[in-house]
Amino acid sequence: MDTKRIPLTIGLNLKEFFLLIFLICAAGFSTIIQLITLLIFSFIFLFIGHKIKFVGRWIFYVSLLITSVLQLFLIWKTEYGINFIVNTLLISIMWFFALQSSNFVVKSIYEIDKQQIEKILKIFFKLNLLFALMQILHMCIEMKTLTPFSNMSAGDNVKGLFRNSSVNMIIMSFFAVFYITRKDHKYAFLAFLMMVLTFYMSGLMLFIGILFIYAFFSFSLRNKIKVVCGILLGLILFTQFSPKNVEYVKHIIIDRVLNDKDPPRKIISFKQTIDIWTSNHSNFIFGSGGGKFSSRTAFITAGEYVNWFPKKYVFISQEFNKNHFPLWNKETLSIPYNDGTSNQPFSFYNKIIGEYGLFGLLFFITYLLAPIKHYKNLTYGRLIFPLIFVYFLLDYWFEYFSVIVFFELFLFLDIKNSQDEFA
């Protein structure tokens, strides 16, 4: 008997068990537990064991962390004060946790056998599925119906272990790609089903688009036909299962996206980002500063995005106040049907360009070097890698940790399996 293994039926040793706990807590079902877990793993477990290898992603995280911290010394800023400092400390902490989460993921991939990591992923998947089923059952009981998804917003409750259904959908898409590549059709089907039941329409449409493009360039004619037929069958069933969500998609695409007079506010946010980026040399090279233009931090310190942020430390930079803040504040959201993903100014691209400028883009390129170098040898990573680019349109995923944790886990595990090294 292996005495190093946890005395449970899951068959994991302590190091493997800690990775499972890390993934569960990093999923973000509780913000407090997530942050406490990241803090503990950052200062204790990361520095036990083998040396962490530094790859291109490390340059990305460290550079943006240092850039954010340097704002603390820009005392000539007219906005400088305790509120400015709190905002800067918060964005710096965000990048620190993002860096340490990435380090822990890479460290775990190095030190844990790939079969055990896949076992951990399957355990996590089963737990997430169980939570999602409980949430669906709860809806059935509460709504007194066996078909709760006839309600357009029912999918919002299918969160699984995650903070919200959108995160669940994105990470389940990674699992779906992983299992279909491994020819584990049962788990692939369950992952696809969970994706659909979240009814996160923006994410689902982007996933279908990337899957269709990938199939066109990579699959044989026979497999292309299978993918097209599968997508068409799924769309037909979807229209029958939740016609209200189909109408919503039509409204967004036809009435909003193609309407120059009243475009979605997300499109407006991209235009604002380009305008502020090209407004002067400083913004073009350095951006407006971390937490000062478009990020989860900027919205948090603005005082309306969350309830827990102290009012006395509210901070809204001039660039944020003139651009993205009016697109998503209490006054704007008080108008019925004025929310939705298409109207959210949230996007990693708004963040990296608007807050870090050209330097931010260059740092991001370093983050992409390893997967680009090894791309031709990847399996499930070949589809997961392009997926993250379209998902970056949807939110500030580096400040939520969960999406990036699973993205890096799948991607770097695939690189390790194909190359037995990181670069």
Side-chain angles (χ1 to χ4, degrees):
M1 180 177 178
D2 188 350
T3 57
K4 293 182 179 180
R5 296 201 171 273
I6 299 294
L8 300 171
T9 57
I10 57 177
L12 304 176
N13 63 29
L14 282 175
K15 190 177 294 183
E16 296 158 358
F17 184 70
F18 282 138
L19 174 59
L20 176 61
I21 295 300
F22 173 79
L23 293 178
I24 293 172
C25 295
F29 64 94
S30 167
T31 301
I32 298 299
I33 292 177
Q34 181 191 48
L35 294 178
I36 291 175
T37 301
L38 292 175
L39 186 66
I40 293 173
F41 277 82
S42 294
F43 288 107
I44 300 179
F45 301 112
L46 283 175
F47 304 107
I48 298 176
H50 298 154
K51 180 180 178 181
I52 300 171
K53 297 182 182 296
F54 298 150
V55 293
R57 49 103 208 168
W58 189 84
I59 299 174
F60 166 76
Y61 285 115
V62 172
S63 298
L64 292 177
L65 173 59
I66 292 174
T67 303
S68 298
V69 171
L70 286 176
Q71 295 177 112
L72 292 173
F73 307 101
L74 301 180
I75 58 176
W76 61 84
K77 282 267 191 179
T78 57
E79 302 165 299
Y80 196 85
I82 184 62
N83 298 48
F84 179 99
I85 293 173
V86 169
N87 170 272
T88 300
L89 287 175
L90 183 58
I91 190 64
S92 301
I93 291 171
M94 291 284 195
W95 280 121
F96 173 75
F97 281 154
L99 166 66
Q100 297 296 59
S101 297
S102 180
N103 283 340
F104 185 75
V105 166
V106 173
K107 171 185 167 68
S108 298
I109 293 172
Y110 266 102
E111 298 181 349
I112 300 176
D113 184 77
K114 68 176 183 180
Q115 283 79 18
Q116 288 300 104
I117 292 181
E118 291 176 7
K119 177 187 287 188
I120 292 167
L121 286 170
K122 184 159 284 188
I123 293 172
F124 179 92
F125 180 83
K126 290 179 178 178
L127 287 173
N128 189 60
L129 178 63
L130 176 62
F131 271 74
L133 291 174
M134 292 170 59
Q135 290 155 359
I136 294 171
L137 178 61
H138 180 262
M139 280 194 294
C140 292
I141 295 173
E142 191 175 60
M143 298 169 64
K144 298 179 181 179
T145 179
L146 295 176
T147 58
F149 294 101
S150 58
N151 186 319
M152 183 175 171
S153 61
D156 295 344
N157 298 309
V158 186
K159 304 174 183 178
L161 290 168
F162 300 100
R163 185 188 311 274
N164 52 51
S165 59
S166 58
V167 175
N168 190 20
M169 177 266 144
I170 289 175
I171 294 176
M172 286 304 101
S173 74
F174 298 156
F175 274 96
V177 172
F178 173 72
Y179 284 126
I180 198 67
T181 305
R182 303 302 300 273
K183 301 187 184 303
D184 194 336
H185 300 300
K186 179 180 74 173
Y187 282 96
F189 171 77
L190 291 172
F192 278 118
L193 180 62
M194 209 174 334
M195 284 172 55
V196 173
L197 292 181
T198 65
F199 288 96
Y200 182 41
M201 302 308 300
S202 299
L204 289 170
M205 294 304 294
L206 291 173
F207 176 82
I208 290 173
I210 292 299
L211 179 61
F212 185 83
I213 294 171
Y214 181 81
F216 180 81
F217 287 104
S218 303
F219 291 177
S220 64
L221 179 60
R222 182 179 179 182
N223 286 332
K224 287 176 185 176
I225 294 173
K226 286 183 179 179
V227 170
V228 172
C229 290
I231 291 175
L232 290 176
L233 177 61
L235 290 175
I236 292 172
L237 293 175
F238 194 86
T239 57
Q240 299 299 314
F241 197 57
S242 185
K244 291 183 179 179
N245 276 294
V246 175
E247 289 298 321
Y248 174 76
V249 173
K250 289 181 180 178
H251 169 71
I252 293 300
I253 295 176
I254 299 175
D255 299 338
R256 298 299 302 276
V257 175
L258 301 179
N259 185 353
D260 293 334
K261 295 181 179 179
D262 186 25
R265 295 197 302 278
K266 186 177 286 290
I267 292 179
I268 295 174
S269 76
F270 293 144
K271 293 179 180 178
Q272 290 178 346
T273 299
I274 297 300
D275 289 342
I276 198 73
W277 187 37
T278 56
S279 61
N280 57 60
H281 292 90
S282 177
N283 281 345
F284 184 78
I285 298 173
F286 303 108
S288 300
K292 310 300 187 294
F293 178 71
S294 183
S295 58
R296 189 180 179 214
T297 299
F299 277 100
I300 288 174
T301 61
E304 295 188 3
Y305 187 67
V306 295
N307 296 322
W308 54 263
F309 190 77
K311 297 298 181 183
K312 64 179 179 179
Y313 295 125
V314 166
F315 174 82
I316 306 177
S317 69
Q318 295 180 13
E319 291 89 348
F320 181 50
N321 195 36
K322 292 178 181 178
N323 292 277
H324 286 190
F325 184 60
L327 299 179
W328 194 265
N329 57 25
K330 287 184 178 179
E331 181 180 350
T332 302
L333 296 177
S334 64
I335 303 173
Y337 307 107
N338 212 23
D339 55 359
T341 305
S342 65
N343 283 318
Q344 295 172 349
F346 316 149
S347 169
F348 167 74
Y349 299 116
N350 282 333
K351 174 185 178 67
I352 199 69
I353 295 173
E355 296 195 345
Y356 297 98
L358 179 62
F359 277 1
L361 285 176
L362 294 176
F363 296 149
F364 182 54
I365 290 173
T366 66
Y367 181 79
L368 305 176
L369 292 179
I372 290 174
K373 177 181 178 180
H374 298 293
Y375 184 78
K376 65 180 181 180
N377 297 316
L378 298 179
T379 54
Y380 45 87
R382 282 195 172 194
L383 184 51
I384 290 176
F385 183 55
L387 275 173
I388 199 66
F389 288 97
V390 294
Y391 291 156
F392 277 152
L393 292 168
L394 301 176
D395 218 317
Y396 310 114
W397 295 126
F398 280 97
E399 291 180 85
Y400 281 89
F401 312 113
S402 50
V403 168
I404 302 301
V405 162
F406 282 89
F407 166 71
E408 292 186 349
L409 181 58
F410 279 114
L411 186 67
F412 288 122
L413 178 63
D414 200 10
I415 292 176
K416 177 188 177 182
N417 292 343
S418 61
Q419 296 289 326
D420 292 323
E421 65 175 349
F422 289 96

